Amino acid sequence: MQKTKIEKIKAIQILDSRGNPTIETTVMLTCGATGKAQVPSGASTGKFEAYEKRDGEDAYLGKGVIDACRCVNTEINDLLKNKNAEDQFEIDLLMCRHDGTENKSRLGANAILSVSIAAAKAVSNAYGIPLYRYLGGKNARTLPIPLLNIINGGAHADNGLDIQEFMICPVGAKSFTGAMRMSMEIYGNLKSILREDELSISVGDEGGFAPQFQDAEEALQYIVRAIEFAGYKPGKDVFIALDIAASEWQNNDGYLLPKSKKEYSTQDLIDYYKALIQKYPIISIEDPLHEEDFEGFSAIRQQTGIQIVGDDLFVTNPKRLKIGIEKRAANAILVKPNQIGTLSETLTAIEMAKSAGMSAILSHRSGDTPDTAIADIAVATNCNQIKSGAPARGERIAKYNRLIAIENEIGSGGIYGNLLH
Ligand code: PGA
Ligand code: ZN
């Protein structure tokens, strides 16, 4: 009997870190092994993302996923019963074909992704090997550099900051565990100085602080001070990465920052970033411009020379990434499995990016769960970087703790990632 044949698939509705409904799916194999996956959900979602199916009725404020669970328990269960869960690309393709839409809107990308990842976990459990080893083989041994979002703004916090994420990037660490030590110390120092200055230490969706700063520069100055207070050198041991999430700012031909009400043309915005890069140790900017401006991304990449990351621009979609590679729009892609809706398309996007000499950054969503699949995918693909929020909040820490555990498991064979750009 084939060990990894699918016996049954069962989805239930659970809640994510924002308290919104999401899907937890269990794939059961004939050998008795099971795999479980919980799906995250974004707030500043890109308009080209695969479709997240929600009930839209009064119950659960319209956010229920009961129907998506029903799709898993009926149609997808019937479709995949007796299929070999090891044939990841085939089962993903079968689900996509059965859905029949371009953006997975009939069954829901949340429904499809939950099955896709649970199937991979079930196989890894059936063979008694960790997920990163199952997906990546013996070569899977790079621990990613974490990008930790320690100050939250934009759609993730109700403070006055227009920029969504201010992250620290501990490139100078010798190991992932060492990177988390540095990050914890910087985060703790930031907390102390905010408290001393009577600023709020309550946290936003991704665990970063969300005080009422005047502007982005004030946030950057606090981060630089926190790095120094922790005993590290900004621009050597630790850099800063930003996620602008600029699609949220798009307004007619230009940009209107929703909180400060400032207006910018594309070139003004590029000049603003260049000025920030001159003054602060910024090594990476994600979504500096809106999600359709491939040309603008390309200009900013050339003019700044730092890491320019496409999130809403690419939405983990190999087709959009192909355009981006042709136009040399960015030198890194943010990888969120739920933007595209299957594990195989996620792996394809990573592979494509790496073959084009780009970096791939595995990423959580602002609404997340304790699921740690992205940590294993990051190691499996040797992808060098991961972002999973601040060193705070259980659903964020779960991914970092998983990476600490993997680093211990791999032992001296492990390598701590490096930045390509
Ligand atoms: P989201 O934000 O999960 O709310 O989309 C994360 C990001 O923009 O990177
Ligand atoms: Zn983003």
Side-chain angles (χ1 to χ4, degrees):
M1 191 184 72
Q2 193 179 47
K3 202 175 169 179
T4 51
K5 227 188 220 182
I6 294 175
E7 166 95 26
K8 187 176 162 68
I9 307 175
K10 169 95 182 121
I12 57 171
Q13 176 175 289
I14 58 164
L15 301 181
D16 71 16
S17 58
R18 275 195 278 256
N20 292 333
T22 190
I23 307 179
E24 176 187 277
T25 291
T26 306
V27 168
M28 288 157 251
L29 305 181
T30 42
C31 65
T34 62
K36 196 172 273 200
Q38 300 172 331
V39 177
S41 175
S44 62
T45 46
K47 76 172 169 210
F48 301 104
E49 292 194 23
Y51 185 76
E52 184 181 67
K53 193 178 177 77
R54 297 212 178 259
D55 299 331
E57 289 158 4
D58 286 350
Y60 295 98
L61 308 173
K63 294 182 174 159
V65 292
I66 306 278
D67 200 39
C69 289
R70 186 195 54 77
C71 289
V72 173
N73 293 331
T74 55
E75 289 186 51
I76 297 179
N77 179 66
D78 295 347
L79 178 76
L80 299 183
K81 193 171 162 59
N82 292 325
K83 295 282 181 303
N84 184 356
E86 257 186 279
D87 296 334
Q88 185 77 46
F89 281 72
E90 194 189 322
I91 63 168
D92 288 349
L93 196 61
L94 276 173
M95 287 193 283
C96 292
R97 287 212 182 115
H98 188 73
D99 171 83
T101 66
E102 181 69 24
N103 63 349
K104 305 181 177 70
S105 56
R106 199 178 69 75
L107 299 169
N110 40 353
I112 293 174
L113 181 71
S114 72
V115 176
S116 182
I117 291 187
K121 289 188 183 179
V123 177
S124 75
N125 289 337
Y127 288 119
I129 51 172
L131 184 61
Y132 68 88
R133 187 65 67 221
Y134 164 56
L135 294 175
K138 284 198 172 48
N139 247 339
R141 61 198 190 101
T142 306
L143 276 299
I145 297 173
L147 306 181
L148 300 103
N149 180 7
I150 61 171
I151 293 180
N152 294 186
H156 295 167
D158 59 2
N159 58 8
L161 289 175
D162 283 299
I163 294 179
Q164 181 177 280
E165 299 174 22
F166 295 79
M167 294 169 275
I168 48 170
C169 186
V171 296
K174 300 275 178 292
S175 64
F176 183 82
T177 307
M180 290 313 294
R181 170 187 161 173
M182 291 166 77
S183 306
M184 177 270 159
E185 291 169 356
I186 295 163
Y187 186 75
N189 271 281
L190 179 59
K191 189 178 198 171
S192 305
I193 54 179
L194 289 173
R195 202 184 258 141
E196 268 165 34
D197 293 352
E198 292 177 2
L199 284 160
S200 166
I201 51 157
S202 42
V203 301
D205 285 352
E206 297 191 349
F209 301 112
Q212 288 298 347
F213 285 133
Q214 301 290 316
D215 54 23
E217 290 220 37
E218 196 181 5
L220 289 164
Q221 284 157 12
Y222 267 87
I223 292 179
V224 168
R225 275 171 62 205
I227 295 170
E228 287 168 347
F229 280 16
Y232 301 108
K233 277 206 167 52
K236 182 168 179 285
D237 305 320
V238 184
F239 285 84
I240 296 175
L242 301 175
D243 181 5
I244 310 295
S247 299
E248 305 280 313
W249 298 358
Q250 195 185 358
N251 184 260
N252 302 323
D253 286 344
Y255 294 87
L256 171 65
L257 280 50
K259 294 175 177 176
S260 63
K261 306 288 178 221
K262 284 188 184 149
E263 288 185 70
Y264 288 91
S265 68
T266 301
Q267 190 55 48
D268 288 348
L269 209 45
I270 296 177
D271 292 341
Y272 170 63
Y273 299 141
K274 280 159 85 177
L276 289 182
I277 295 165
Q278 284 290 319
K279 267 174 104 171
Y280 303 96
I282 296 170
I283 203 176
S284 173
I285 303 185
E286 179 182 330
D287 284 353
L289 299 169
H290 73 77
E291 59 207 326
E292 290 180 88
D293 193 1
F294 283 96
E295 278 74 23
F297 265 73
S298 176
I300 200 166
R301 185 189 56 73
Q302 283 172 46
Q303 290 179 39
T304 63
I306 63 167
Q307 175 170 275
I308 298 297
V309 187
D311 171 14
D312 291 350
L313 183 74
F314 298 136
V315 291
T316 317
N317 185 326
K319 289 183 190 149
R320 291 188 64 82
L321 177 59
K322 188 161 178 280
I323 303 171
I325 291 170
E326 278 159 17
K327 301 197 174 200
R328 298 178 47 77
N331 42 29
I333 178 176
L334 201 76
V335 177
K336 294 167 166 168
N338 84 320
Q339 281 182 327
I340 186 69
T342 62
L343 178 57
S344 13
E345 287 164 290
T346 303
L347 296 174
T348 301
I350 297 171
E351 195 51 51
M352 257 177 88
K354 289 175 73 178
S355 314
M358 291 169 64
S359 291
I361 307 169
L362 256 293
S363 172
H364 66 157
R365 298 304 306 244
S366 54
D368 216 295
T369 74
D371 192 301
T372 55
I374 60 161
D376 282 73
I377 296 171
V379 176
T381 56
N382 292 308
C383 86
N384 273 328
Q385 297 173 63
I386 190 166
K387 72 169 201 177
S388 180
R393 294 186 60 132
E395 74 283 0
R396 315 292 148 192
I397 287 294
K399 281 77 164 166
Y400 296 134
N401 283 347
R402 173 74 188 133
L403 288 163
I404 292 173
I406 294 175
E407 184 163 72
N408 275 279
E409 212 166 86
I410 296 180
S412 56
I415 308 166
Y416 180 55
N418 62 336
L419 288 188
L420 288 178
H421 301 282

